[in-house]
Amino acid sequence: MCGIIGYCGKEDAVEKLLYGLKALEYRGYDSAGIAVFDGDEVISVKSEGRIGNTEALCKEKGLQGFCGIGHTRWATHGEVSVRNAHPHTKGRTTIVHNGIAENYNELNRKLKERYDLISDTDTEIVCALIDSIYSEIEDPIEALEIAKERINGSYAIAVIFSDIVDTVYGICQDSPLIVSEDENGMYLASDITAIDSTDKLYYRVTNEVAVLCRDKLQFYRKGEKVIPESFNADRNMRKCEKDGFSHFMLKEIHEEPDVIKRTLDRYVIDGIIRFPFEDILTSFRSIRIIACGTALHAGMTGAYLIEKMAGIPCRYEVASEFRYNAPEDMSGELAVIISQSGETADSLAALRIAKELSAVALGIVNVENSSVARESDIVLYTSAGAEIAVASTKAYTAQLAIIYLLAFKLAYKKRRLSLNEQRDLCDCLYREIPDAIREVIEIKEQIEKTAKKYAVCENAFYIGRGMDHLLCEEASLKLKEISYIHSEAYAAGELKHGTISLITEKTPVIALLTDPFVFSKTVSNIREVKARGAEVLVIGMSKAEECEYDALISLPETDPLFAPFTAAVAFQLFAYYVALHRGCDIDKPRNLAKSVTVE
Ligand code: F6R
């Protein structure tokens, strides 16, 4: 999704801004641009496609300066084009903008007489709005405070005014905007990874106007100078090198054994789960897990486990649908919001609704200080570190790890699990599962060979029952998002109720077979699809060898309760190699964004 960077200081602003834009690339974008004070003139350079195109244009124009703003755009209003790319300029005002101005139609009606609007974007209208207010009152800070009142929706905006040389302004509403300073200058960004400053304090802009000059940083609220909330940067979140791997996705899959250990280290002490909010956990009559995409799939497994182990009614909800499904009152309910980024607009909206309905909100989040982390009543962190590949891998298994701990803890609180049983389960998850995952990673060449065969297909089905079915949802998402193969996840027993008509010899079926309880039933479903010509790839432990298959990815023997961890790494590697052999842009799949900050 869109990203913002701003810099003002002693160093080359073009270099700093391009550094920031490259660091924001992982979020997904389709065009980019920067605007810099070249002397006392504001020059904008923007291009479609990769940052390299913008960089080449900056060189060609010999752009230089000490102060400017930059943007990566993920199209929401209008096609991908230079015309729609940011920065946008109207009058003396130039802006870059994340989020959506929900009342842009209304603003447009008021401003179109006065400004010649050339793009399809809401950003250009916001730019015109700020310029019109600035023209009236000639005070940049007051103009931005008034503009804030008039723009509806969540957004973050960086602004420069052509007559106030070498100054960057920032405002935001429910969308992240972070500011930092070091000996080289002042930085502003929507994402901490974009800030090339030394390890200093970071300020979070909320209701303030941030003002970055070459030698000073100030914040204003209602015209008064203020100091906003600050925090220390998590250096782990800022490390984003491929370390010799061909893709971030492959690197992040290799990190999974350590991520699970790190996540458990935070909450398991001497085999006992210690959450910072022990007492609250006994007071809920039901639980609702709300999330999007991969995080939702982790939540599906969570709902299944919590009901089975703790006997507490637990359901999952697609975050973007929650406002239509929400009950009238959620008092006595725990709303669990799972999010890697902690900035996903749909999940954040659901969190706010759940709180309004009197639920207690538990955030399961990877990014400390993110919006979900700050707005939740209680928080559990997944210690996955920065996840750069758009396709989530290590964050998913880290989310599973937390969800398992939550299920164990609730089962213990409900006296369905003894302390010793809890200790044994935690011990297994900590000591055996990371090694079992390493064993799966060790057979990656074999997984690649299998994947190469499937790289030619255009459709696929994933089938499984029980927990395997829930895993299929994530396995199927991984395949389609990075390889562009159309794939569907089905409860194995449901296929024969219509969908089996799609099975031909060209439609491979990937069966997940880790749960001994449903083994023979899934095997029957495998026979049904084989009888209709499908090529079947089975992912399972040694018992899976008993069934009929065309290819097998053999998982190490573990307690089946923990098979989702090893199976996940196997299907992530499978999807990765299929995409590799199809020549796809694995870390940045088309049309996708890492952090989806629009609803
Ligand atoms: C898929 C993927 C997405 C995210 C979803 C939620 O690989 O990464 O489906 O899981 O957009 O994102 P977060 O977890 O940041 O809320």
Side-chain angles (χ1 to χ4, degrees):
M1 288 258 128
C2 304
I4 285 179
I5 174 81
Y7 173 74
C8 201
K10 293 194 259 179
E11 306 232 311
D12 178 0
V14 176
E15 210 174 275
K16 290 278 188 198
L17 296 174
L18 290 172
Y19 170 93
L21 295 186
K22 283 177 193 161
L24 290 168
E25 273 194 301
Y26 80 100
R27 295 167 62 101
Y29 70 105
D30 38 51
S31 55
I34 64 173
V36 167
F37 279 100
D38 197 339
D40 54 9
E41 196 187 350
V42 175
I43 310 267
S44 288
V45 171
K46 35 193 190 176
S47 69
E48 276 180 45
R50 295 284 176 236
I51 311 272
N53 302 344
T54 311
E55 189 168 15
L57 271 178
C58 290
K59 279 212 181 97
E60 204 180 296
K61 294 194 173 199
L63 188 64
Q64 53 182 335
F66 298 98
C67 177
I69 54 179
H71 191 259
T72 47
R73 174 175 189 253
W74 188 83
T76 55
H77 287 63
E79 57 176 20
V80 178
S81 63
V82 172
R83 185 170 58 89
N84 287 332
H86 304 202
H88 287 278
T89 300
K90 287 277 130 329
R92 287 177 290 172
T93 309
T94 297
I95 73 166
V96 292
H97 166 222
N98 277 4
I100 293 177
E102 285 170 2
N103 55 336
Y104 75 98
N105 267 330
E106 181 198 325
L107 296 174
N108 187 18
R109 273 194 298 278
K110 292 183 188 149
L111 292 158
K112 68 180 177 201
E113 304 287 298
R114 190 157 157 204
Y115 288 91
D116 183 18
L117 299 168
I118 52 169
S119 78
D120 309 315
T121 64
D122 54 337
T123 303
E124 197 185 10
I125 298 165
V126 168
C127 186
L129 173 74
I130 296 173
D131 191 69
S132 67
I133 306 170
Y134 181 46
S135 305
E136 270 167 43
I137 58 176
E138 293 293 332
D139 177 353
I141 294 164
E142 206 185 329
L144 290 170
E145 293 204 296
I146 295 172
K148 264 189 81 164
E149 305 279 298
R150 298 200 189 155
I151 307 165
N152 294 349
S154 57
Y155 57 82
I157 303 171
V159 188
I160 52 183
F161 297 103
S162 59
D163 56 335
I164 309 175
V165 177
D166 286 355
T167 308
V168 173
Y169 299 84
I171 51 169
C172 64
Q173 175 73 48
D174 294 336
S175 186
L177 194 62
I178 291 153
V179 172
S180 170
E181 67 177 306
D182 69 8
E183 61 285 1
N184 297 318
M186 319 295 150
Y187 308 77
L188 163 153
S190 51
D191 185 323
I192 199 161
T193 50
I195 295 184
D196 183 24
S197 103
T198 46
D199 194 15
K200 291 258 172 157
L201 208 62
Y202 287 75
Y203 297 97
R204 182 185 319 290
V205 184
T206 50
N207 290 317
E208 304 79 15
V209 177
V211 186
L212 288 72
C213 303
R214 282 177 68 173
D215 56 356
K216 67 174 187 277
L217 174 62
Q218 287 172 329
F219 300 89
Y220 292 86
R221 198 182 298 150
K222 296 200 170 92
E224 299 291 316
K225 266 196 209 159
V226 289
I227 299 178
E229 184 198 334
S230 62
F231 62 98
N232 283 311
D234 173 359
R235 293 196 67 78
N236 231 349
M237 298 307 290
R238 297 188 51 200
K239 189 170 179 290
C240 43
E241 305 295 331
K242 280 196 209 139
D243 295 341
F245 287 96
S246 42
H247 294 93
F248 279 111
M249 181 174 174
L250 190 60
K251 177 193 167 207
E252 287 162 5
I253 293 172
H254 278 74
E255 287 174 31
E256 287 183 66
D258 291 337
V259 163
I260 290 170
K261 283 200 159 191
R262 249 194 344 250
T263 301
L264 263 62
D265 274 337
R266 198 158 180 163
Y267 299 112
V268 182
I269 296 155
D270 297 332
I272 304 297
I273 303 162
R274 308 233 183 253
F275 289 151
F277 42 78
E278 299 279 316
D279 299 342
I280 305 179
L281 286 179
T282 41
S283 57
F284 302 109
R285 59 180 157 82
S286 61
I287 299 177
R288 225 174 262 258
I289 304 184
I290 314 170
C292 307
T294 292
L296 174 68
H297 297 153
M300 289 176 174
T301 300
Y304 184 94
L305 274 179
I306 289 170
E307 277 213 357
K308 277 235 164 350
M309 296 192 75
I312 302 173
C314 184
R315 55 193 283 182
Y316 58 82
E317 306 268 3
V318 174
S320 56
E321 287 291 307
F322 181 60
R323 67 173 78 242
Y324 320 114
N325 294 337
E328 280 181 8
D329 176 23
M330 287 181 75
S331 40
E333 271 203 63
L334 178 69
V336 181
I337 314 294
I338 309 181
S339 176
Q340 185 283 124
S341 61
E343 301 299 346
T344 302
D346 289 320
S347 306
L348 204 49
L351 162 69
R352 290 172 185 155
I353 295 168
K355 281 181 74 174
E356 267 167 35
L357 296 171
S358 307
V360 170
L362 161 63
I364 297 183
V365 194
N366 195 39
V367 181
E368 293 195 21
N369 285 302
S370 59
S371 304
V372 171
R374 281 179 292 118
E375 294 192 31
S376 294
D377 299 304
I378 45 182
V379 184
L380 292 173
Y381 288 105
T382 49
S383 301
E387 191 178 61
I388 303 296
V390 164
S392 185
T393 53
K394 61 176 180 170
Y396 172 67
T397 40
Q399 285 158 355
L400 285 181
I402 289 285
I403 284 286
Y404 271 68
L405 294 188
L406 187 61
F408 298 164
K409 187 80 194 178
L410 289 166
Y412 169 71
K413 293 267 181 200
K414 290 280 172 187
R415 299 179 196 281
R416 289 174 157 233
L417 203 64
S418 71
L419 211 53
N420 276 342
E421 285 167 328
Q422 188 192 115
R423 194 177 276 124
D424 288 348
L425 288 172
C426 289
D427 204 54
C428 179
L429 185 52
Y430 191 82
R431 287 184 209 291
E432 292 176 29
I433 300 308
D435 285 341
I437 290 178
R438 279 189 198 99
E439 282 181 50
V440 178
I441 294 173
E442 271 164 27
I443 59 158
K444 66 181 178 201
E445 275 86 14
Q446 185 218 316
I447 297 178
E448 175 170 9
K449 262 194 209 140
T450 308
K452 193 172 171 187
K453 266 183 41 199
Y454 289 85
V456 290
C457 71
E458 287 308 326
N459 297 289
F461 279 95
Y462 280 83
I463 60 167
R465 284 169 181 259
M467 284 235 283
D468 285 334
H469 169 227
L470 306 174
L471 285 177
C472 283
E473 294 287 349
E474 175 58 10
S476 172
L477 175 65
K478 276 304 79 102
L479 186 71
K480 56 193 155 199
E481 69 177 329
I482 59 168
S483 76
Y484 315 142
I485 291 175
H486 169 246
S487 141
E488 287 201 43
Y490 253 82
E494 183 64 8
L495 216 56
K496 58 186 175 296
H497 297 287
T499 317
I500 204 161
S501 62
L502 292 171
I503 300 289
T504 67
E505 60 284 357
K506 291 198 191 107
T507 322
V509 173
I510 300 144
L512 290 186
L513 205 47
T514 70
D515 186 346
F517 185 66
V518 298
F519 183 81
S520 55
K521 291 247 185 301
T522 310
V523 166
S524 304
N525 302 132
I526 292 175
R527 270 196 221 106
E528 288 158 13
V529 292
K530 275 204 76 62
R532 280 145 188 96
E535 189 151 321
V536 175
L537 162 64
V538 169
I539 301 180
M541 289 185 272
S542 62
K543 193 163 168 55
E545 287 167 22
E546 291 168 23
C547 83
E548 235 185 292
Y549 54 78
D550 299 287
L552 173 73
I553 297 178
S554 204
L555 301 175
E557 230 47 49
T558 59
D559 180 337
L561 177 68
F562 296 112
F565 291 92
T566 47
V569 174
F571 67 62
Q572 290 166 356
L573 283 168
F574 176 75
Y576 171 81
Y577 286 116
V578 170
L580 189 72
H581 285 284
R582 286 168 73 88
C584 300
D585 191 352
I586 295 179
D587 284 338
K588 296 181 209 103
R590 74 177 172 226
N591 301 337
L592 291 181
K594 182 69 184 162
S595 180
V596 186
T597 47
V598 290
E599 279 184 61

